[in-house]
Amino acid sequence: MKGPLFYSKILLFGEYGIIKDSKGLSIPYSFYNGALKKDDNPSEHAITSNKNLKSFVNYLETLDVDLVSFDFETLKADVNSGMYFDSSIPQGYGVGSSGALVAAIYDKYAHDKITVLENLTREKLLKLKTIFSEMESFFHGKSSGLDPLNSYLSIPILINSKDNIEATGIPSQQNNGKGAVFLLDSGIIGETAPMVGIFMENMKQEGFRKMLKDQFIKHTDACVEDFLKGDIKSLFKNTKQLSKVVLNHFKPMIPKQFHELWKKGIETNDYYLKLCGSGGGGYILGFTEDFDKAQKSLSDYKLEVVYNF
């Protein structure tokens, strides 16, 4: 048995901001993916994953059946016969490992599921997001539901606000373009819950809330609009500002050994770094107008191109 593949995701813009209604833009990233599987000779990883699935199924049974119901008979039979989630998506890296699993379970076992093939109205997208938010809360404590939504639909999602999301198109990539969005591997596993905890604690301060609205959300919204319009010049101007705001106000979310590297990008304009997901480790997202230059500047690190300008 091998189910369909579900991709990882990258939130290009909107981390933390979307909690407070900034815009956001999330794109599928097919380099990493996962699928439900059964093997005759399960590996250690498969056995662990299967054990986690059992707990997840118990959790799913507590969800409101008016929101979503599952074919538990088949799901339990599959889990009891050793089904696991076979995934190349790194965990704790901000690219949506639990999101892909949630999407796979919904796709295979949900009753009356909303499919990619139907006309995806805003209502349907919001309903899916709500379902996925409840399902994914098992892994994160509080989830927006966006990661599984992206993984399930495999199309870019534009977040206008909490209650206003839409499928969107993004400008096609320039394969011979010099500019790029890239992932930088911090080599550290990030934990979502503690980072979100720090953010929520900071939100109690009026100064932080003001900065979030006047600077962070302002530049995030501008970046999303620039990216969708393909206005590269304005995009890099706004990304630089966003990178500065994050360095000044989100320091705990940036692993200490990357503070100088972050600053160097802003000073040299070789690249601009931003958080990928909640931060604290995992991947850091980079934007550059000249990838060769960024590579030289960051020669000690492994970079993966996500998108070419």
Side-chain angles (χ1 to χ4, degrees):
M1 160 199 166
K2 184 157 175 22
L5 284 179
F6 288 91
Y7 298 143
S8 58
K9 71 87 197 54
I10 290 171
L11 186 61
L12 286 180
F13 301 104
E15 71 294 338
Y16 290 108
I18 53 175
I19 299 177
K20 292 291 157 204
D21 267 358
S22 79
K23 282 186 188 291
L25 182 64
S26 182
I27 61 170
Y29 184 45
S30 58
F31 185 76
Y32 294 120
N33 51 60
L36 293 167
K37 244 187 180 178
K38 280 183 199 164
D39 283 344
D40 292 336
N41 298 309
S43 65
E44 211 166 298
H45 161 76
I47 292 164
T48 308
S49 169
N50 174 258
K51 212 155 74 199
N52 292 339
L53 268 182
K54 281 185 178 147
S55 312
F56 186 41
V57 173
N58 292 338
Y59 168 78
L60 292 178
E61 286 191 290
T62 68
L63 296 185
D64 179 358
V65 288
D66 290 334
L67 178 66
V68 62
S69 68
F70 298 92
D71 175 358
F72 281 114
E73 204 177 316
T74 312
L75 174 53
K76 284 178 172 172
D78 286 344
V79 170
N80 289 335
S81 64
M83 182 174 77
Y84 68 100
F85 191 59
D86 182 30
S87 167
S88 65
I89 307 170
Q91 289 187 330
Y93 262 67
V95 286
S97 50
S98 57
L101 167 59
V102 165
I105 294 286
Y106 177 83
D107 179 63
K108 194 166 165 58
Y109 300 101
H111 291 138
D112 308 319
K113 66 179 184 186
I114 295 167
T115 72
V116 189
L117 301 170
E118 56 197 90
N119 176 16
L120 286 168
T121 60
R122 188 177 293 170
E123 284 68 33
K124 283 178 184 169
L125 281 172
L126 279 175
K127 180 163 186 201
L128 268 176
K129 182 176 174 285
T130 307
I131 290 168
F132 289 149
S133 161
E134 289 293 319
M135 289 175 72
E136 202 186 26
S137 291
F138 171 76
F139 301 96
H140 290 317
K142 186 172 176 4
S143 155
S144 70
L146 276 169
D147 289 5
L149 186 66
N150 214 291
S151 196
Y152 181 62
L153 299 175
S154 261
I155 43 180
I157 305 277
L158 169 63
I159 302 112
N160 293 305
S161 65
K162 263 199 211 66
D163 305 321
N164 182 351
I165 51 175
E166 57 186 293
T168 188
I170 56 174
S172 49
Q173 299 200 48
Q174 305 298 318
N175 290 334
N176 52 359
K178 283 169 73 171
V181 181
F182 60 88
L183 293 173
L184 184 157
D185 188 346
S186 73
I188 306 160
I189 288 177
E191 290 272 343
T192 301
M195 293 297 126
V196 174
I198 293 169
F199 174 77
M200 289 309 200
E201 203 47 48
N202 287 343
M203 282 299 289
K204 292 175 183 170
Q205 300 159 25
E206 196 188 334
F208 187 84
R209 289 199 301 273
K210 190 168 164 24
M211 173 282 302
L212 197 76
K213 184 167 155 281
D214 298 347
Q215 297 175 46
F216 188 78
I217 290 179
K218 184 181 112 182
H219 295 306
T220 296
D221 287 359
C223 284
V224 171
E225 281 162 28
D226 291 340
F227 189 90
L228 292 176
K229 280 198 307 228
D231 186 341
I232 303 308
K233 204 172 162 207
S234 182
L235 173 68
F236 279 98
K237 207 174 83 197
N238 280 305
T239 306
K240 180 176 184 172
Q241 293 307 322
L242 192 56
S243 187
K244 276 187 193 167
V245 172
V246 172
L247 183 61
N248 292 332
H249 300 281
F250 288 77
K251 272 223 168 66
M253 286 75 166
I254 306 170
K256 274 201 179 58
Q257 59 272 50
F258 290 95
H259 289 183
E260 279 309 309
L261 208 63
W262 205 284
K263 205 161 112 202
K264 181 180 148 192
I266 294 165
E267 286 166 358
T268 60
N269 296 315
D270 287 353
Y271 56 86
Y272 305 126
L273 300 179
K274 64 182 291 295
L275 297 172
C276 179
S278 54
Y283 284 119
I284 292 168
L285 206 49
F287 285 73
T288 179
E289 289 185 84
D290 186 336
F291 187 64
D292 292 341
K293 216 189 236 179
Q295 257 185 319
K296 283 194 190 91
S297 237
L298 299 164
S299 55
D300 295 346
Y301 298 90
K302 201 174 106 218
L303 308 182
E304 275 171 44
V305 173
V306 172
Y307 185 93
N308 283 103
F309 292 111

